[in-house]
Amino acid sequence: MLDDVVNSPSSIFSDKRKLELDYVPSFLPHREDKIKELGIIFKDILTEGYVRSIRALALGKTGTGKTATTSAFEREFRKIAEERGSKVTMVHINCHKQRTLYLISLEIANRLKLPVPTRGLSSQEIFKIIHDYLDKRNIHLILTLDEFNQFIDSAPQDELYFLARIYDEISATTKRISYIFIVNDTYSLYRLDKSIKDHIVQRIIEFPPYSSHELFDILKARAEEAFVKGAVLDETLKFISDIYGNERGGSGNARAAIETLVVAGEIAEKQGALMVTLEHAKEANSSINPEIPQILDNLMDADLHQLLLIKALIQLVKRGKSEEVQMGVLESEYQKLCSEFGEEPRKHTQVYEHIRRLRQYGVLNTRQSGKGMRGRTTLISFTLPLDQKFEDFVDSKIRGRMTSR
């Protein structure tokens, strides 16, 4: 039975590797400008006789494309250098794995295929060997130190000083080693001694969190590479994008959005479906989104009329089999519910404010209608999968509010 599962071709995925975190696509939506910035900063290395050491700092939260962008830059810059006959090599090291200067120096030597003994030499001595190797062969090294804040937090001050001010320790006419430092926040940086910080924080490239529009483009591009053609609906991608979009209160984290898409695909595959639907995405979101318990906690204190709006949306979705409901239709259903419960319905302005608050809680998604619908209206949908457990939760909270009046 397991053989059948393992050996049967997927009806959902065409190349699942294209969704892995270390995969760098040939095109990075909404990060082309950052690749260009890096190119402007480092282009002088390609100039004959260039002698300076260049430092760039890629700054942004997790999932904002720092690693993918620097990796794409390294790939493109290496190709340009080869075409021009310039000797440039790239080494990308994750400081979460190599947390000491010694491990970093050994990793560089290993990537350069230098026969360095693993014992008996200090990290500073290994760096000197590396620099001599580069100098003899007229090679410039661009060293990318990913998750550099991990190194800052764990390394002793003298190692930080050496790495940042290497040419105070190594005498060289041509400074062969340049850096890209990748950090998640400025907290670690600004704890550094000024003499170290000034050598690291030079040219800063900021990576803002992604918007829902940007995440949609990223997910769309990945889906085209990783899934069977037509297997992922646009509304599925739109839902995930809206969950994580920064302007909608999400984290703007592309990694988390891609992971949600992966899990949604796996759920669809497990169910034998031919397409990844909105329901699959909602189930994936509820299973991996750490904010789901917080969303339900927020509803513990929800206003009665907020809960009635949620119940009205539940009824409309179940009745109409549509995931999105127009604002006017929801308001009409809410008014009917108020009548059933003997409640005075709130005015439109207050209803809209309740919807806004529920969106902040993470319960609802809202978007403006586009083509194919007369006039402009707000379309409302759930972020959570609509199941009996959630419906019972809402009903119990409504009963609690009614009995405590």
Side-chain angles (χ1 to χ4, degrees):
M1 183 176 179
L2 185 58
D3 283 346
D4 293 339
V5 173
V6 172
N7 294 320
S8 62
S10 173
S11 60
I12 295 292
F13 297 103
S14 60
D15 189 352
K16 201 172 180 181
R17 292 171 299 178
K18 300 297 177 62
L19 295 166
E20 292 176 0
L21 293 181
D22 59 356
Y23 171 66
V24 181
S26 57
F27 172 67
L28 286 176
H30 306 290
R31 286 298 179 253
E32 310 96 311
D33 58 331
K34 306 302 179 187
I35 295 174
K36 287 179 182 177
E37 278 189 65
L38 285 165
I40 290 168
I41 290 170
F42 286 97
K43 69 178 183 178
D44 288 343
I45 285 178
L46 302 177
T47 304
E48 187 68 32
Y50 190 74
V51 299
R52 288 179 53 234
S53 173
I54 300 170
R55 285 93 192 283
L57 178 74
L59 173 64
K61 294 180 179 178
T62 300
T64 53
K66 303 181 300 299
T67 299
T69 299
T70 52
S71 296
F73 160 74
E74 290 159 11
R75 180 177 61 201
E76 292 184 32
F77 197 80
R78 184 186 295 110
K79 182 181 177 183
I80 293 168
E82 287 173 358
E83 290 170 352
R84 293 176 56 129
S86 300
K87 294 182 178 179
V88 179
T89 190
M90 310 283 192
V91 174
H92 193 123
I93 292 176
N94 189 306
C95 295
H96 182 70
K97 297 175 182 176
Q98 276 80 30
R99 294 197 182 197
T100 68
L101 187 63
Y102 184 72
L103 290 174
I104 289 172
S105 65
L106 281 181
E107 184 66 17
I108 296 169
N110 182 52
R111 302 280 187 89
L112 296 176
K113 296 181 169 57
L114 279 175
V116 174
T118 56
R119 292 185 180 181
L121 293 177
S122 69
S123 50
Q124 289 84 353
E125 288 171 326
I126 297 173
F127 262 96
K128 181 67 168 63
I129 292 171
I130 290 167
H131 199 278
D132 287 346
Y133 169 85
L134 297 171
D135 208 34
K136 285 177 183 177
R137 288 159 179 77
N138 192 28
I139 299 171
H140 283 276
L141 166 66
I142 298 178
L143 174 61
T144 300
L145 295 174
D146 209 337
E147 297 195 55
F148 186 63
N149 42 292
Q150 296 275 359
F151 183 76
I152 293 173
D153 292 341
S154 60
Q157 199 77 358
D158 63 325
E159 291 192 358
L160 282 163
Y161 187 93
F162 176 85
L163 195 59
R165 306 189 59 162
I166 187 171
Y167 290 107
D168 289 355
E169 305 293 324
I170 296 176
S171 178
T173 304
T174 300
K175 299 171 174 59
R176 299 282 177 184
I177 302 175
S178 295
Y179 297 96
I180 300 174
F181 302 103
I182 301 179
V183 296
N184 294 334
D185 58 63
T186 57
Y187 176 72
S188 295
L189 291 171
Y190 289 102
R191 286 168 41 225
L192 291 172
D193 183 270
K194 189 176 187 301
S195 64
I196 298 173
K197 183 174 65 179
D198 288 349
H199 282 74
I200 293 173
V201 185
Q202 293 185 1
R203 297 170 176 86
I204 300 175
I205 301 176
E206 293 194 34
F207 287 73
Y210 288 108
S211 68
S212 56
H213 163 70
E214 290 170 335
L215 287 174
F216 179 86
D217 291 342
I218 291 167
L219 293 176
K220 183 77 171 175
R222 288 295 184 97
E224 288 173 355
E225 287 194 87
F227 287 84
V228 172
K229 187 176 181 180
V232 185
L233 300 176
D234 276 0
E235 66 176 11
T236 305
L237 302 178
K238 184 72 170 62
F239 169 80
I240 298 172
S241 304
D242 286 346
I243 289 292
Y244 292 101
N246 182 247
E247 85 284 10
R248 291 176 172 270
S251 61
N253 186 334
R255 286 189 187 182
I258 291 169
E259 179 62 19
T260 302
L261 179 59
V262 172
V263 174
E266 290 172 345
I267 291 169
E269 189 169 50
K270 182 176 67 176
Q271 294 176 0
L274 296 178
M275 289 188 295
V276 186
T277 67
L278 198 55
E279 279 305 310
H280 295 136
K282 287 184 178 182
E283 189 175 341
N285 178 56
S286 65
S287 68
I288 69 174
N289 192 337
E291 296 174 357
I292 295 297
Q294 183 60 54
I295 291 171
L296 295 178
D297 281 348
N298 289 337
L299 287 182
M300 300 290 277
D301 300 319
D303 177 272
L304 172 62
H305 287 264
Q306 292 171 350
L307 294 166
L308 290 173
L309 279 164
I310 292 173
K311 184 170 178 62
L313 183 57
I314 289 172
Q315 292 182 172
L316 287 168
V317 170
K318 290 177 69 176
R319 189 188 310 146
K321 306 300 181 184
S322 174
E323 298 291 342
E324 291 185 309
V325 172
Q326 295 179 41
M327 179 70 176
V329 175
L330 176 60
E331 199 165 356
S332 177
E333 185 73 12
Y334 155 75
Q335 289 168 353
K336 291 177 186 175
L337 264 180
C338 284
S339 178
E340 291 176 18
F341 281 90
E343 283 290 312
E344 182 70 26
R346 299 294 186 252
K347 303 293 185 185
H348 175 77
T349 304
Q350 187 59 48
V351 168
Y352 193 85
E353 178 60 26
H354 282 322
I355 295 293
R356 189 186 68 82
R357 182 58 61 85
L358 289 170
R359 189 182 71 185
Q360 288 178 337
Y361 285 167
V363 182
L364 303 181
N365 264 336
T366 63
R367 72 176 182 91
Q368 293 300 307
S369 62
K371 293 180 180 179
M373 191 171 289
R374 292 183 61 187
R376 289 185 64 80
T377 183
T378 300
L379 299 175
I380 302 161
S381 60
F382 284 116
T383 63
L384 305 170
L386 184 52
D387 55 19
Q388 194 59 49
K389 184 178 178 181
F390 178 59
E391 191 173 349
D392 290 344
F393 175 85
V394 173
D395 285 341
S396 70
K397 294 303 158 196
I398 290 174
R399 287 195 298 270
R401 298 290 181 275
M402 295 298 295
T403 55
S404 63
R405 293 172 70 87

